Every structure is written in structure tokens, then in C-alpha cells.
Amino acid sequence: MSSFAEHARRYFVGTAMTPCLRFMSASILKVDGRGLNADFDIIHQLNVRTPPDVRTLLEQGGTGLASGTQLPGMASRLVVELQVVNVERLLNSCGISAEKVTAIGQRGPAFGREFWKQTGSAIVVGDPTILAESTGVTVIDHFEQRDIAKGGSATGIDVLPMWLLLTRPVDSISARPLVVVRLDQAIELFYLPARRKNRPIPGVAYRRMGPGFALLQRLQTICDHQLPAGKSLVEPLRQTMLKADAYDIAADSETQLSTLIESIVDQVPELIQSSTTLNQTLENYWAGEIHHQIEEHFPPTPEVAEIVVLGRGARREMFVKQLADKFAGIPVSTEVSRGWISGSAGASIAAIFATLHIDQVSGNLPDLTGATAARILGRITPGSPGNWRGVLSQLEVAARQTMTLREAV
């Protein structure tokens, strides 16, 4: 017989910096149930703008880390101070006290995938001890590091929490999958099958498509701002991206981005003669390539129920319209139309990672990340004594659960 603790309503908070470093996001989720059978409902979200000096420091630090130098410790403290302010404002605005929150999932800005590959270490900025001490709530962080420690790259690590966030456990065998397009600094595609109760994780899929806004921002800095070009540049751009293996380029790799930009400027110089031409061409290119990748690499059946656009791309009306035109008959929604604060999905994902840790469910999928084994992701920093006792009791409940081999560590 299951206990009340297994089904009691719980609250988890997530805090994460948006990929563009412009905002610190926070989100509080109501969680009913446990593990893969849980229902996750977003209660409230909040963004705090990153001060310009902090953003500049982080941008400079990210470049330094890619080459092996250390980011100043001051940046880590500045980031966590933003997270403390954001979490406190979030809880005050939604009327839920910190005493009711089980744990906080913390994700600061992550830097330097090339550095990760060279050293085997993940670089995430933010101090969990300050967040735990300031809020009295247990903090769970270092999700990427646990995957990397098992030989993974942390690529596609958000698939499982994204699946849990956007689907609900159902009994029906006719429920259809979703496709998520996350267009931000990088372009990522997620195939999320329906979630059936008391069943193992189905065949989720992930595709990385290289840099998105990271490329656009760099090209805009060298744009001449002349009159728009009189011809379409989508096909020349597509050919250039294909030759440069753009899909394999990391959005946070300064060296790879610079090489790609040199190729674009050399092969399609008209692209940077006008900001209008640049934006229209990239939006058209993105829509076309996303359509091609989904058609080529994701299962054709069952038919997709909905396409969800997240990230900065969700605010590009023409891009969303072009994407909807290419997928005639399939509804296309955005984080905006869902009522989510722009860029806040990352904070909700951090909260779900924390939930998975407390419920002792592995959060990485080795087939996607390249890790040698599935692992429970995260590192715990205890909160107040009362909160920590509550966390320990939930961990004890999770330890008594029968887990499938795929979920076990």
C-alpha cells in the first residue's frame, strides 16, 4: 500500500540564467505524484534582468573559459545573488512560503563545451551554499557534471525534464507525440512521445542544429545596414552552412563561430549588407532546416499533435508563421501563447531536475549524451534543519520504491 508521502503535493523551485545571459529566471512548480508518473504544473514564473556589468563579466568569462582560464570568483557570487533575489521575489509574489518548498534546482550560465571536452569538467557559475543559506531551502545543482563524469557530453540532457514538463501521464494508447523547437543561442529539436502511466521512458529523440541567435548576433555586429538585397540568399546560405558542418558547431565555441562567420562572409557577402536581409534570410533558413530535420530524423508515425517553439525564436512572429506554413495541419504554439514568461522554461527544467534527484530517478539518457551509464543527476547542498529533514524523508520514500533497471543507478 502506498503512503500519503508518496502522493502528497510538493513544490519545487528552479532558477536558471537564460542562454543569452540577459535574464535570471525563476519558476515554481506544483508536483503531484512521484518520478515519471508525476504531474508538473507551473504555478508562477519571474524574470530579473541581468545588470549590464554582470552580463559583460559573464560574456568575457565565457570566452576565457573556452581557452582554459578561470572566471573570476566575483562572477559566481554575483550570479547567485541574482538567483537569491529572484527566488525570494517569486515566492513573495505567488504567496507560497519557503517552508513549503522541497528543494531548489539551480542552473547558472554554463560555459565552454570545448573546455569540458578537454578537461572532463563542466563549468557552471553559481554558488549553491549562498542560495541554500539565504532561502533555507535545499539546493540541487551540478546536473551536467554528473553526466560528464560518466563520459557524457551533457548534450541533449534536457530531454527528460522537457518531456515531463510538456506531457502528462495518461492511460490512453492513442495519445500523440509533441515536437519542441528550442531556438535560442543554439537550435535544438526534441521529439517527445506521449507519457503513459507506469511505463518506462519511450523513444524520445533529440537533434542539435548548431548556432541560432549566437550566429545572428555576431553577424549583426558586422552588418553594413544598407538596403535589403533584391534576391533570396537562403540557398547560398544553406550550402555554406552545409559545407561548414554548421550542425556540429557549438553555440558557445568562440573559435568555431568565428570560422563559420568567415565562411559566410566569404561565400555570401550580400547577407551582411542589410540587417533586414540578414534577419529575414536566417528566419527562412531556420524554418526550412527545422522542417527538413523533423521530417528526416523523427518518426513519421504517430502523427505529431503539436509543435512547441521555445526560446527567443518564440518571439519571432514571421519565423513562427513560416514554420506553421511548412507543417500545415499541425498546430504550432509558443511559450508566449502558453502564457509562459519568455525564456523561463530553463528554470522549470531546473526544478524538474531537482524533483528527479529527490525521487531518485536517473535524469540523463546515455543514448543521447554518450554517458556510459544512467545516473541520478545533481549535487545536494542542505537547507535549514527543518527543510533538510523533509528532504531526507522524501529520499527515504524514494529508496523504498521498486525501480526499473533503466531508472536505477
Side-chain angles (χ1 to χ4, degrees):
M1 181 179 294
S2 60
S3 68
F4 170 77
E6 294 174 30
H7 299 283
R9 176 172 297 172
R10 301 173 294 167
Y11 295 98
F12 286 82
V13 167
T15 177
M17 184 160 275
T18 58
C20 62
L21 306 179
R22 294 181 180 180
F23 297 97
M24 182 66 72
S25 296
S27 180
I28 182 166
L29 273 60
K30 178 186 71 176
V31 182
D32 290 312
R34 299 187 64 86
L36 301 182
N37 285 328
D39 266 328
F40 296 88
D41 289 317
I42 297 174
I43 302 298
H44 194 56
Q45 301 166 318
L46 191 67
N47 278 356
V48 171
R49 185 176 292 275
T50 308
D53 56 334
V54 177
R55 182 182 172 191
T56 299
L57 180 61
L58 292 172
E59 290 172 342
Q60 294 173 346
T63 302
L65 283 172
S67 60
T69 59
Q70 289 298 316
L71 187 72
M74 181 189 302
S76 188
R77 184 174 185 87
L78 291 172
V79 166
V80 77
E81 286 175 353
L82 278 175
Q83 292 177 324
V84 169
V85 169
N86 208 8
V87 169
E88 290 177 345
R89 288 182 180 178
L90 175 80
L91 295 176
N92 289 334
S93 61
C94 69
I96 297 175
S97 65
E99 289 77 13
K100 294 182 179 179
V101 176
T102 297
I104 299 173
Q106 180 190 33
R107 294 180 96 181
F111 296 118
R113 288 191 185 278
E114 294 305 310
F115 184 72
W116 298 1
K117 293 175 184 177
Q118 295 168 15
T119 64
S121 301
I123 305 300
V124 181
V125 178
D127 189 336
T129 60
I130 295 176
L131 184 57
E133 182 178 353
S134 300
T135 62
V137 181
T138 294
V139 175
I140 304 175
D141 70 332
H142 275 210
F143 306 110
E144 290 87 355
Q145 285 88 332
R146 290 280 286 173
D147 181 74
I148 291 171
K150 271 293 183 181
S153 65
T155 300
I157 201 171
D158 288 353
V159 169
L160 184 55
M162 186 81 75
W163 177 62
L164 294 170
L165 177 65
L166 289 169
T167 64
R168 291 185 181 277
V170 296
D171 293 316
S172 172
I173 61 173
S174 61
R176 295 185 292 162
L178 302 174
V179 168
V180 174
V181 176
R182 186 161 68 181
L183 173 50
D184 224 297
Q185 296 299 92
I187 308 172
E188 300 168 286
L189 306 178
F190 301 80
Y191 177 82
L192 310 177
R195 178 156 55 113
R196 296 184 62 192
K197 293 180 181 178
N198 302 313
R199 296 296 180 90
I201 301 168
V204 295
Y206 171 83
R207 293 288 295 176
R208 189 178 69 177
M209 292 180 54
F213 279 89
L215 176 61
L216 175 59
Q217 289 167 193
R218 289 286 301 275
L219 289 172
Q220 283 177 326
T221 62
I222 57 175
C223 191
D224 291 335
H225 302 289
Q226 298 178 10
L227 293 175
K231 62 179 181 178
S232 173
L233 301 176
V234 174
E235 184 57 27
L237 175 63
R238 192 183 73 81
Q239 292 297 331
T240 301
M241 299 286 273
L242 188 63
K243 292 177 182 177
D245 294 324
Y247 283 13
D248 296 328
I249 292 176
D252 55 4
S253 173
E254 181 71 18
T255 302
Q256 292 180 350
L257 269 179
S258 296
T259 302
L260 176 60
I261 288 169
E262 289 176 6
S263 297
I264 292 173
V265 172
D266 181 57
Q267 299 296 321
V268 199
E270 304 96 326
L271 186 66
I272 59 170
Q273 291 180 358
S274 161
S275 179
T276 301
T277 297
L278 174 61
N279 280 271
Q280 290 178 348
T281 302
L282 277 178
E283 287 182 357
N284 199 330
Y285 166 77
W286 288 337
E289 288 299 295
I290 288 169
H291 176 262
H292 171 73
Q293 288 295 308
I294 291 174
E295 292 285 306
E296 184 76 15
H297 296 284
F298 288 169
T301 57
E303 184 181 4
V304 172
E306 183 182 5
I307 295 174
V308 183
V309 182
L310 304 180
R312 296 169 70 184
R315 303 196 299 275
R316 293 264 176 157
E317 292 184 6
M318 288 306 299
F319 162 73
V320 174
K321 183 180 183 302
Q322 289 178 38
L323 196 63
D325 290 342
K326 291 184 179 297
F327 290 97
I330 300 178
V332 176
S333 67
T334 68
E335 58 185 29
V336 178
S337 65
R338 285 174 169 259
W340 296 359
I341 292 178
S342 181
S344 62
S348 299
I349 286 173
I352 294 177
F353 269 130
T355 309
L356 292 175
H357 187 106
I358 296 297
D359 291 348
Q360 295 291 280
V361 176
S362 58
N364 65 331
L365 300 176
D367 290 346
L368 296 180
T369 68
T372 57
R375 300 196 75 171
I376 293 171
L377 302 181
R379 171 186 66 177
I380 290 183
T381 302
S384 67
N387 173 269
W388 181 233
R389 283 194 295 270
V391 168
L392 290 175
S393 68
Q394 292 194 37
L395 288 170
E396 183 181 0
V397 169
R400 294 199 303 265
Q401 304 299 304
T402 300
M403 292 189 292
T404 64
L405 182 60
R406 184 167 185 172
E407 294 176 10
V409 174

